[in-house]
Amino acid sequence: MIRRLYKTLLSVAVTSMLLFGNASAQDSTATAAAPAAGGDIAAGKTLFENNCKSCHNPDGEKLTGPGLKDITKRRDLAWLVKWIQNPMGVIASGDKYAVDLYNQYNKTQMTAFPALKEADVQNIIAYIDDYNTPKVAAPGTTPVTAAETGGGGFTSVIMIALIAIMALVLVALLAILRLLTKLAGVDTASTDSVSAVNFGEKVKEIFGNKTVRSAIIWVFILLAVKTTLDGLYGIGVHQGYAPKQPIKFSHKLHAGDMKINCAYCHTGVYKGKQAGIPAANICMNCHNAIKTGSPEIQKIYTAIESNKPIEWVRVHNLPDLSYFNHAQHTNVGGLDCTNCHGEVNKMEVVQQRSTLTMGWCIDCHRKTEVNGKDNKYYDKLMEAHSKTSKGAMKVEDIGGLECSKCHY
Ligand code: HEC
Ligand code: HEC
Ligand code: HEC
Ligand code: HEC
Ligand code: HEC
Ligand code: HEC
């Protein structure tokens, strides 16, 4: 009897752990693996949004270029790869389809993407096809990509937590069972020697046992603490935050395609604490003449005429208790913006790429070498450092882990 119970419990626990384990494995690979035939939709979506969205809709609607719905019915993969890598080359080769299309679009030149490989193009196509496939609304059957759920990271944490919980429960149950067997005085090899009535009494006895009770209580306390901690660590972390802005300003177009220097607009970034957001008159340096008819550009004029600043939505925001200085990092430290902000010059909409937690700051200070180039002050420090330590001088060695450096 007890032995059978023991066995059933064990198999239930093992099966469910396998199930959960599997789910989490699938989850964490969702961004990398190929969920649809011929391409990775999530990767395609990212590529499309970073490179194509400024000129193409994934549906049939025209933008600067044609809507890309059913593109594989119009052109084959080989043509598409050639075209995307070098559109002007295809047009110059006299390809009739390309030349006609080019004329139809008033000789607007599509950007060339020589870095995109055939696999990338396949991913983009997979995304476009998926975008145009009607979704079945039945719960559990809709293919939700990791990107839509906000990245696999959070869900896998939950899964891992669940597995941990299962393991704890299993251990507790096994402990109870072992005790049960002992108290019942049953040799586990001989089965069904305890009657059902007797068993009930024994169960009561066991839950009256102090050790068992405190074991159960501990399991619950640990679970509660873990859940609370997980929740707390999540508070205020906005990685991936990309709010909609009042004007469709594209960094990809301005900083990427047109290669305008970041500091042209973020004037404080090499000189001061704050990088700063440009005032509308910086935009006017160009837009008093460029795209004056565009409704998006009209919003800049309205802001200037009504003397109200454009209400950009703030993306990055450290709490007041911490101190961060841009010049210290970009100018003195010689760090590139991408270290902390990702490839902004490829973003249509700015997104927070780093966690901006204290751990993130500290982690970098532990592993990054101080930039000693052309810096007399550091020459002396480095000399002193090399006397006491063989390793390179890291930010932590100049006080980068001191609370007061980052907290007022
Ligand atoms: C700067 C704007 C621009 C960007 C960015 C752009 N395209 Fe285009 N694309 C065009 C234009 C305009 C055309 C029409 C042909 C022409 O004028 O050269 C076109 C045509 C195409 C065509 C042929 C469409 C058809 O109906 O046959 C495909 C496919 C295409 N683009 C794919 C892409 C992909 C994929 C990306 C991103 C990797 C991309 N384009 C990025 C402007 C752009
Ligand atoms: C033509 C002007 C212009 C250029 C050039 C430019 N930016 Fe921006 N940037 C803006 C504007 C306007 C905003 C506010 C709207 C938004 O978030 O898109 C902004 C916002 C940002 C933000 C988010 C600010 C926040 O609210 O937290 C970051 C980060 C950023 N830019 C980084 C860069 C980097 C890195 C470059 C160079 C690769 C760059 N920018 C080039 C105009 C510019
Ligand atoms: C150095 C010149 C320059 C500066 C500075 C500049 N832009 Fe632009 N902007 C351009 C050019 C060029 C285009 C592309 C026009 C085209 O598509 O032919 C453009 C396009 C745009 C578009 C897309 C318009 C549309 O309807 O297609 C928006 C929106 C825009 N800019 C907003 C801004 C804002 C906001 C600022 C200030 C933070 C700014 N720009 C600063 C040169 C500039
Ligand atoms: C060491 C990491 C780091 C580097 C390098 C860095 N930033 Fe930042 N950036 C941050 C942090 C952290 C914030 C949030 C600051 C806050 O909330 O006080 C921020 C905020 C911003 C903002 C929002 C406005 C502001 O001033 O707070 C802009 C714009 C910006 N950064 C642009 C840039 C540009 C452009 C570069 C490169 C020239 C750059 N950053 C390099 C970490 C960095
Ligand atoms: C990508 C790596 C990186 C990240 C992320 C980073 N830092 Fe730094 N930090 C540096 C480097 C490199 C220096 C050294 C600059 C120099 O040479 O003085 C530095 C220096 C500093 C200093 C001066 C330390 C001293 O002793 O002079 C402070 C304060 C600071 N960082 C705060 C922060 C804060 C706050 C954050 C997080 C919001 C942060 N940093 C994130 C790389 C980083
Ligand atoms: C390199 C910079 C840096 C150093 C050094 C540093 N902190 Fe922080 N600390 C931060 C930043 C940035 C935050 C805000 C993080 C966030 O919002 O998630 C923070 C947050 C905190 C918080 C608030 C936590 C919360 O959840 O709001 C406390 C408390 C704190 N730090 C204490 C300390 C103590 C104590 C030390 C010294 C042992 C220290 N910090 C050293 C950058 C630093």
Side-chain angles (χ1 to χ4, degrees):
M1 161 90 199
I2 289 178
R3 201 169 161 221
R4 217 179 295 147
L5 194 71
Y6 195 89
K7 266 189 177 164
T8 332
L9 254 174
L10 203 73
S11 61
V12 167
V14 169
T15 348
S16 49
M17 273 170 87
L18 280 176
L19 275 175
F20 276 117
N22 210 2
S24 87
Q26 264 174 9
D27 189 77
S28 57
T29 51
T31 29
D40 176 348
I41 298 169
K45 182 172 191 237
T46 314
L47 283 171
F48 182 87
E49 291 187 340
N50 290 343
N51 301 305
C52 324
K53 205 178 161 193
S54 51
C55 299
H56 291 286
N57 275 322
D59 56 18
E61 289 296 313
K62 237 160 96 167
L63 209 60
T64 310
L68 293 183
K69 186 181 178 190
D70 292 338
I71 184 63
T72 42
K73 293 190 184 138
R74 299 199 286 278
R75 299 280 89 190
D76 63 22
L77 181 66
W79 188 92
L80 289 171
V81 174
K82 248 193 328 195
W83 170 262
I84 290 165
Q85 288 177 345
N86 184 6
M88 288 318 285
V90 177
I91 293 166
S93 77
D95 181 297
K96 187 171 171 342
Y97 180 93
V99 173
D100 286 350
L101 196 68
Y102 185 54
N103 290 331
Q104 194 187 326
Y105 280 82
N106 298 323
K107 299 198 162 51
T108 310
Q109 293 191 11
M110 170 167 146
T111 324
F113 297 93
L116 292 186
K117 305 270 170 340
E118 180 171 317
D120 299 320
V121 174
Q122 267 175 330
N123 292 345
I124 294 175
I125 292 170
Y127 164 67
I128 292 169
D129 286 347
D130 177 70
Y131 186 92
N132 292 299
T133 315
K135 301 281 185 293
V136 189
T141 56
T142 327
V144 181
T145 62
E148 277 161 350
T149 53
F154 187 60
T155 21
S156 13
V157 167
I158 293 183
M159 284 304 175
I160 291 166
L162 272 178
I163 293 173
I165 293 172
M166 301 280 311
L168 278 174
V169 171
L170 180 67
V171 169
L173 282 173
L174 288 183
I176 293 172
L177 267 174
R178 186 158 310 141
L179 214 86
L180 197 80
T181 338
K182 218 165 94 193
L183 282 177
V186 192
D187 171 6
T188 37
S190 73
T191 43
D192 294 346
S193 52
V194 194
S195 74
V197 185
N198 209 347
F199 180 68
E201 269 169 19
K202 291 292 172 196
V203 168
K204 244 187 245 162
E205 199 174 307
I206 279 147
F207 281 98
N209 179 300
K210 227 170 151 190
T211 334
V212 175
R213 256 205 329 240
S214 61
I216 295 175
I217 290 171
W218 267 110
V219 167
F220 278 99
I221 291 179
L222 285 177
L223 285 182
V225 169
K226 177 153 179 22
T227 324
T228 323
L229 276 182
D230 280 354
L232 279 181
Y233 279 123
I235 290 176
V237 177
H238 300 287
Q239 194 172 22
Y241 180 54
K244 195 170 181 296
Q245 298 291 348
I247 297 180
K248 268 200 190 151
F249 172 79
S250 162
H251 275 82
K252 182 185 170 291
L253 177 68
H254 291 84
D257 300 351
M258 299 194 309
K259 300 200 164 53
I260 307 176
N261 194 301
C262 311
Y264 181 89
C265 293
H266 302 294
T267 50
V269 77
Y270 294 110
K271 297 183 292 209
K273 177 178 179 302
Q274 227 101 40
I277 299 296
N281 52 18
I282 291 189
C283 316
M284 288 303 282
N285 290 347
C286 299
H287 284 291
N288 56 8
I290 294 169
K291 280 263 172 179
T292 52
S294 154
E296 292 299 315
I297 301 304
Q298 289 292 331
K299 292 183 193 166
I300 305 176
Y301 303 157
T302 315
I304 287 178
E305 277 154 22
S306 62
N307 214 353
K308 272 200 211 121
I310 303 166
E311 288 180 0
W312 302 110
V313 183
R314 193 167 179 137
V315 185
H316 302 75
N317 204 355
L318 286 176
D320 290 342
L321 57 89
S322 51
Y323 172 84
F324 177 82
N325 185 315
H326 266 97
Q328 176 105 50
H329 290 87
T330 56
N331 196 352
V332 186
L335 291 174
D336 197 76
C337 320
T338 49
N339 280 304
C340 303
H341 294 297
E343 292 185 297
V344 176
N345 60 356
K346 291 191 180 155
M347 298 179 193
E348 283 296 336
V349 178
V350 180
Q351 189 187 65
Q352 181 180 320
R353 285 288 163 88
S354 304
T355 56
L356 260 59
T357 55
M358 178 163 136
W360 172 71
C361 314
I362 300 274
D363 197 44
C364 183
H365 286 185
R366 282 218 173 100
K367 61 185 189 212
T368 309
E369 277 175 41
V370 169
N371 170 26
K373 229 172 55 193
D374 309 324
N375 195 326
K376 292 245 167 59
Y377 174 68
Y378 282 159
D379 284 350
K380 286 209 188 87
L381 272 181
M382 283 194 181
E383 211 181 275
H385 177 79
S386 62
K387 277 187 193 134
T388 50
S389 158
K390 271 197 231 106
M393 190 165 88
K394 305 276 171 63
V395 183
E396 65 175 331
D397 300 319
I398 58 164
L401 303 189
E402 282 166 26
C403 318
S404 60
K405 290 275 169 81
C406 305
H407 294 292
Y408 301 104

